[in-house]
Amino acid sequence: MEFKELKEAIDQIELVDAHAHNIVSLDSSFPFIRTFSEATGDALSFASHSLSFKRNLREVAELYGSEVSLEAIEKHRQTLGLHSLTTKCFDEARISALLIDDGLKLDKKHDTEWHRNFVPYVGRVLRIETLAEQILEEENIVALKTIAAYRSGLDIDTHVSKEVAESGLLEVLQAEKPVRIGNKGLIDYILTLSLEVAERYDLPLQIHTGFGDKDLDLRLSNPLHLRTLLEDKRFEKCRIVLLHASYPFSKEASYLSSVYPQVFLDFGLAVPKLSVHGMVSSVKELLHLAPTKKVMFSTDGYATPETYYLGAKKAREVIFLVLRDACVSGDLSLMEAIDAAKDILSRNAIAFYNIDVDTSSSIPQSRISPKSQMEEPHVQEDSSSFVRVIWVDTSGQQRCRVVQAQRFNRSVKKNGIGLTHASMGMTSFYDGPAEESKLTGIGEIRLVPDLSTKRIIPWTKQESMVLADMLLKPGEAWDYCPRETLRRVTNVLKDEFDLVMNAGFENEFYLLKNVVREGKEEYVPFEVGPYCSTSSYDASSPIFHEIIPALEFLNIAVEQFHAESGKGQFEVSLGHTIAFHAADNLVYTREVIRSVARKHGLLATFVPKYDLCDIGSGSHVHISLWKNGENVFPASDKSSAHGMSSIGEEFMAGVLFHLPSIFAVLAPLPNSYDRIQPNTFSGAFQCWGKENREAAIRTASPPGAPDGLVTNFEIKACDGSTNPHLSLAIIMAAGIDGLRRHLQLPDPIDSNPADVAATLNRLPETLSEAVEALEKDKVLHELLGQNLIAAITGVRKAEVQYYSKNPDACKQLIHRY
């Protein structure tokens, strides 16, 4: 038995993290290596030699697509920024509720409210010893927690006298600062009073049991010491959860849960801090006697988002292995195992903590999968299994080579595929190099897969696809590689200004059907509804019911989709992410939309101006700047004239200044300029405006943003024929120049630019004008590279010459874009 149904069910459960700690800023003193170990001080130097460290390091590297080393992962974390890496970790972990014990002392830790940016529900667990210490030094609680196991042990005297407690208090006050409550009489008294409060207000109590750091006397943290407390009639209805699987006392904890109705179990920390065998055996020991209705999950995540991700990922894997074995041994049926998984990973915690959260929605399992998403997707190796190796050329066309999975795994994934130099000089009308691109059929590069982008193709499930880099030889990038160009410019922005650029694309496209008229085939809109029409959505609903889940399967966030103004035109807006991932996501988004449409007998085209008598299709891109996980584009307060920080204004001013040159990349076809016209929301004049959709650059203050503050800006000229990596690279390069020269913005245009056209510069009206501007823009040559600029302008000139002689040829572009 493969237990596929059990594994899929576990993958789909939204997790409730019943015990965790705060995340800290990237610039805190918390060493990232502690993500993988409970050790501190000199003991930390041995941490890298533990089984769990080696495994968890590999899994974080797989998550980020980086080399398997602490140094490479830490560099990636700094590039990504705290907000983005937290979003990625929490999205992959699929945690729907988070209960935070904020009593762990960490410098520069984020408060409980900050964590609400990443999960629907956040509750606070009150650590009673920490609260008492705060009171002595000068005060939406969902639970109380005690760490008595660390201070004086779990043999609690629930009848300790007030006099003993007062004596203990005096001892604590006479000790050195800061206050640390270690007196057993005082701790037992505080805990007893806390139990009374918990009983009165129906609050559960978390009790640390079992292992932790070296500050704990393990002999005193055996949960069997709790027998006196558990049998005290005053507290027999107080719900108690024993944390950390009580490891190595898991059997003892299982026994207590089976005989005391108020005792529940949580296996956080044991997962993922033990070896795989240790994790599986400890959870199995919990289930020896404990009812599945009394066992729950928590990450025990702290300080870094990766701790949450690793806990969630391994919890799914461990629960699958444990329940699978229970099925094999006959303890559970398959359906009973699936029900147990739902209880352990979600439902038990919701009931125990009285959490108001809905986990019933079904999110595609690919958001986190033990074997498919965090590791390289597996496609069965036989003669019918293929891998598509994809690249995007200078003209913006998406191309691929296809190899059998066997050959890919044996050779291609390491050595790549040979590809002619001419591949980056090809035009939209001919599969051969443009003369002025200076690229010919002489010479070969290696098309090397970026394994972090390898994905199972959702509309086949039998094949996979992967994006590729262009190398001259191992370790040496080719000057014409779009992905490497974006990496290089990204590094400049990071190294010089410690900034990361985020981007989000809007995808406009037409859905066309093939008809025969007077014996000739032609493509026409498959429906004719107006902008945001419900009837248009109804007509396209079966298609979008496949497109959106497919994008989710690929971990591509979709913010919204709707019918656009053109006949048969639609838009899919993607969530923002770091520029490199945004470009990769756009490539896969186009693949998904085209392929799903083709499956339904339709043609999806992103061509800029499919019909000269109808609305054009853009690929508007939204840009923001981030530092240490925070969006630094908005002003710090409302005193800014434009609602932007000085960094944001200078960056955007650079983009506005270089916009005529940028057009040659963002709008790469002669057909693109049929779209960029006044009064079409395409940005025909060199200006910017606040929420002005006729301006070439629009600053945005979306719902939820503080009034008057700008979170990002939108560039209207970008269309669906652009190479996304080159587009973001040239935008970023222009912004870097703005930062270097501290450029300032002109006044915004708060009316239709066409009405004040005499006061504004008209942006390039033809591709020839854009190419001329790019050829003169030496700043962009420096940042993107002379060879690449020569290839871009060479291809564009060939486009201009061909379509000027063959104007009707643009009708064939629907098959290329």
Side-chain angles (χ1 to χ4, degrees):
M1 298 176 66
E2 296 181 350
F3 297 100
K4 179 180 179 182
E5 297 90 341
L6 174 60
K7 183 173 178 296
E8 290 179 346
I10 291 173
D11 290 345
Q12 291 174 3
I13 298 170
E14 289 188 282
L15 304 179
V16 173
D17 189 350
H19 175 245
H21 304 278
N22 306 66
I23 293 174
V24 301
S25 300
L26 290 179
D27 59 348
S28 74
S29 62
F30 185 89
F32 179 61
I33 189 174
R34 286 204 58 199
T35 297
F36 308 99
S37 174
E38 286 287 283
T40 57
D42 293 339
L44 200 57
S45 63
F46 298 94
S48 61
H49 302 286
S50 68
L51 299 182
S52 64
F53 177 94
K54 295 179 184 297
R55 181 193 69 244
N56 289 327
L57 189 71
R58 285 196 303 271
E59 294 190 346
V60 172
E62 290 170 354
L63 172 67
Y64 292 146
S66 67
E67 295 179 5
V68 185
S69 70
L70 268 178
E71 295 76 16
I73 292 173
E74 289 195 79
K75 182 177 180 181
H76 183 89
R77 297 178 85 246
Q78 293 296 326
T79 300
L80 202 60
L82 183 60
H83 192 280
S84 293
L85 68 89
T86 302
T87 298
K88 183 173 183 62
C89 289
F90 276 56
D91 282 353
E92 297 290 349
R94 283 186 54 208
I95 298 173
S96 62
L98 187 64
L99 309 185
I100 296 179
D101 161 23
D102 58 2
L104 187 64
K105 292 184 178 181
L106 298 164
D107 76 304
K108 297 185 178 181
K109 69 181 181 182
H110 290 281
D111 60 18
T112 302
E113 190 64 28
W114 181 86
H115 294 74
R116 299 185 195 277
N117 293 309
F118 310 102
V119 292
Y121 181 93
V122 177
R124 184 182 174 210
V125 176
L126 185 65
R127 185 183 291 200
I128 58 179
E129 291 88 353
T130 301
L131 176 63
E133 289 165 355
Q134 291 172 349
I135 292 173
L136 292 176
E137 288 207 36
E138 354 203 273
E139 212 216 271
N140 198 15
I141 305 298
V142 293
L144 303 181
K145 177 185 175 181
T146 177
I147 53 169
Y150 272 88
R151 303 296 177 86
S152 56
L154 295 181
D155 186 13
I156 307 299
D157 180 3
T158 57
H159 296 283
V160 62
S161 68
K162 185 177 180 180
E163 291 74 19
V164 170
E166 288 175 343
S167 175
L169 175 60
L170 182 62
E171 175 186 310
V172 170
L173 293 175
Q174 292 176 343
E176 295 180 357
K177 300 290 184 178
V179 170
R180 177 181 169 84
I181 300 176
N183 180 275
K184 185 179 187 308
L186 180 57
I187 289 174
D188 290 356
Y189 188 79
I190 292 173
L191 180 53
T192 301
L193 293 179
S194 299
L195 283 166
E196 293 175 359
V197 171
E199 176 88 2
R200 187 178 311 127
Y201 291 98
D202 193 28
L203 290 173
L205 176 68
Q206 296 181 344
I207 300 180
H208 182 111
T209 60
F211 78 129
D213 61 42
K214 70 174 185 178
D215 199 26
L216 173 136
D217 187 338
L218 192 59
R219 296 168 298 180
L220 301 178
S221 65
N222 188 324
L224 292 180
H225 288 301
L226 292 169
R227 183 179 176 184
T228 300
L229 182 154
L230 297 175
E231 294 187 353
D232 193 310
K233 295 295 185 181
R234 295 172 294 168
F235 311 127
E236 62 184 8
K237 292 185 179 180
C238 185
R239 289 167 290 135
I240 292 172
V241 59
L242 308 181
L243 299 177
H244 313 316
S246 296
Y247 183 85
F249 310 112
S250 302
K251 291 179 180 179
E252 289 87 338
S254 179
Y255 166 75
L256 292 176
S257 179
S258 70
V259 296
Y260 291 100
Q262 72 269 43
V263 175
F264 293 73
L265 309 176
D266 181 307
F267 56 83
L269 189 63
V271 175
K273 287 297 180 5
L274 303 179
S275 68
V276 172
H277 177 76
M279 291 187 292
V280 171
S281 64
S282 64
V283 174
K284 281 186 176 181
E285 287 181 346
L286 291 184
L287 294 178
H288 280 343
L289 290 172
T292 57
K293 291 286 185 183
K294 300 182 77 176
V295 178
M296 65 189 77
F297 153 85
S298 74
T299 61
D300 199 46
Y302 65 102
T304 67
E306 291 84 355
T307 56
Y308 295 80
Y309 164 73
L310 291 170
K313 181 177 188 296
K314 299 313 291 185
R316 293 183 193 274
E317 294 179 12
V318 168
I319 286 299
F320 168 72
L321 294 173
V322 170
L323 295 181
R324 181 200 62 185
D325 289 352
C327 291
V328 171
S329 62
D331 285 333
L332 295 173
S333 68
L334 181 59
M335 294 309 298
E336 288 171 338
I338 292 174
D339 197 57
K342 293 177 180 178
D343 285 337
I344 293 170
L345 296 176
S346 180
R347 294 189 304 215
N348 290 346
I350 290 173
F352 186 83
Y353 294 102
N354 293 320
I355 299 173
D356 182 16
V357 64
D358 180 16
T359 62
S360 60
S361 60
S362 178
I363 297 178
Q365 66 195 57
S366 63
R367 292 289 292 276
I368 175 170
S369 172
K371 297 299 180 186
S372 65
Q373 290 300 310
M374 294 306 101
E375 299 177 7
E376 182 188 322
H378 174 74
V379 175
Q380 184 178 353
E381 289 191 5
D382 58 38
S383 59
S384 63
S385 301
F386 306 124
V387 180
R388 306 180 191 185
V389 183
I390 298 173
W391 76 97
V392 186
D393 67 17
T394 313
S395 66
Q397 295 179 83
Q398 297 186 185
R399 303 177 185 268
C400 75
R401 290 280 186 86
V402 183
V403 297
Q404 289 181 313
Q406 293 169 324
R407 179 169 181 257
F408 181 88
N409 292 325
R410 184 173 63 251
S411 173
V412 172
K413 66 189 299 183
K414 178 180 179 182
N415 302 317
I417 300 171
L419 195 67
T420 173
H421 282 188
S423 61
M424 283 301 285
M426 293 180 180
T427 65
S428 67
F429 59 86
Y430 176 64
D431 290 333
E435 184 176 350
E436 290 193 42
S437 71
K438 299 181 181 179
L439 294 167
T440 70
I442 301 172
E444 185 169 276
I445 54 109
R446 311 302 298 174
L447 196 64
V448 179
D450 177 353
L451 296 179
S452 71
T453 68
K454 190 167 181 236
R455 301 287 185 268
I456 293 174
I457 296 177
W459 55 90
T460 70
K461 300 291 180 69
Q462 299 299 315
E463 299 181 11
S464 58
M465 57 185 175
V466 64
L467 300 178
D469 294 319
M470 296 173 173
L471 306 180
L472 289 173
K473 59 183 180 181
E476 184 178 345
W478 194 36
D479 288 347
Y480 303 86
C481 177
R483 299 180 86 243
E484 180 59 29
T485 300
L486 179 54
R487 282 195 195 96
R488 189 174 65 252
V489 181
T490 297
N491 289 337
V492 173
L493 181 65
K494 179 64 177 178
D495 293 343
E496 291 191 23
F497 303 101
D498 194 25
L499 293 173
V500 175
M501 189 179 92
N502 274 24
F505 286 94
E506 300 172 7
N507 295 271
E508 294 176 342
F509 58 94
Y510 278 84
L511 290 174
L512 308 177
K513 62 182 178 181
N514 183 271
V515 299
V516 178
R517 291 177 177 170
E518 298 178 355
K520 294 183 179 180
E521 286 190 349
E522 59 180 292
Y523 284 87
V524 299
F526 97 112
E527 64 83 40
V528 293
Y531 172 72
C532 283
S533 163
T534 55
S535 62
S536 294
Y537 171 70
D538 285 339
S540 61
S541 178
I543 300 170
F544 282 104
H545 272 288
E546 292 190 46
I547 288 175
I548 304 305
L551 292 174
E552 291 281 355
F553 185 91
L554 298 172
N555 292 328
I556 298 174
V558 177
E559 291 194 344
Q560 60 182 351
F561 54 96
H562 61 269
E564 261 296 346
S565 298
K567 297 179 180 64
Q569 187 186 36
F570 296 87
E571 177 183 301
V572 174
S573 297
L574 305 181
H576 73 89
T577 184
I578 60 172
F580 198 82
H581 291 160
D584 286 352
N585 287 348
L586 185 58
V587 176
Y588 280 155
T589 298
R590 293 172 179 172
E591 289 291 309
V592 168
I593 292 172
R594 289 193 190 105
S595 297
V596 173
R598 189 178 300 113
K599 178 181 175 182
H600 286 263
L602 300 175
L603 173 70
T605 180
F606 297 85
V607 71
K609 194 74 170 177
Y610 143 71
D611 184 345
L612 296 182
C613 298
D614 209 337
I615 300 297
S617 292
S619 186
H620 309 157
V621 59
H622 292 254
I623 302 295
S624 57
L625 295 174
W626 296 70
K627 184 174 184 178
N628 294 329
E630 303 294 334
N631 187 353
V632 296
F633 200 88
S636 58
D637 55 45
K638 297 180 181 179
S639 63
S640 167
H642 303 310
M644 289 175 274
S645 64
S646 58
I647 289 174
E649 180 175 353
E650 291 175 5
F651 187 93
M652 195 175 98
V655 176
L656 182 63
F657 177 83
H658 289 280
L659 205 50
S661 309
I662 294 174
F663 262 43
V665 174
L666 304 191
L669 297 174
N671 179 263
S672 300
Y673 298 82
D674 293 324
R675 181 183 79 90
I676 304 174
Q677 299 293 328
N679 302 311
T680 60
F681 291 5
S682 57
F685 296 92
Q686 191 174 8
C687 65
W688 74 280
K690 299 178 180 179
E691 299 292 6
N692 187 341
R693 284 173 168 77
E694 277 294 342
I697 293 179
R698 172 180 74 97
T699 57
S701 299
D707 184 40
L709 298 188
V710 173
T711 62
N712 65 85
F713 66 92
E714 176 190 27
I715 302 174
K716 310 293 288 187
C718 193
D719 67 43
S721 61
T722 187
N723 180 307
H725 296 88
L726 295 182
S727 288
L728 294 183
I730 203 167
I731 290 169
M732 197 182 303
I736 288 171
D737 185 50
L739 291 170
R740 286 174 173 174
R741 296 197 286 144
H742 304 290
L743 296 181
Q744 300 299 302
L745 288 168
D747 292 334
I749 301 299
D750 57 7
S751 61
N752 187 338
D755 294 341
V756 291
T759 66
L760 300 173
N761 293 327
R762 177 69 160 91
L763 287 166
E765 297 185 58
T766 65
L767 181 56
S768 294
E769 293 177 20
V771 170
E772 182 180 356
L774 180 57
E775 287 185 317
K776 294 177 180 178
D777 200 325
K778 302 306 179 185
V779 171
L780 299 184
H781 291 209
E782 173 193 348
L783 284 165
L784 267 70
Q786 294 285 358
N787 288 339
L788 179 59
I789 293 293
I792 292 171
T793 56
V795 170
R796 303 296 184 265
K797 289 178 180 179
E799 304 276 5
V800 170
Q801 183 179 13
Y802 178 81
Y803 289 106
S804 64
K805 295 179 180 178
N806 304 277
D808 288 341
C810 67
K811 296 178 180 179
Q812 297 303 312
L813 291 173
I814 60 173
H815 301 288
R816 289 192 176 249
Y817 298 97

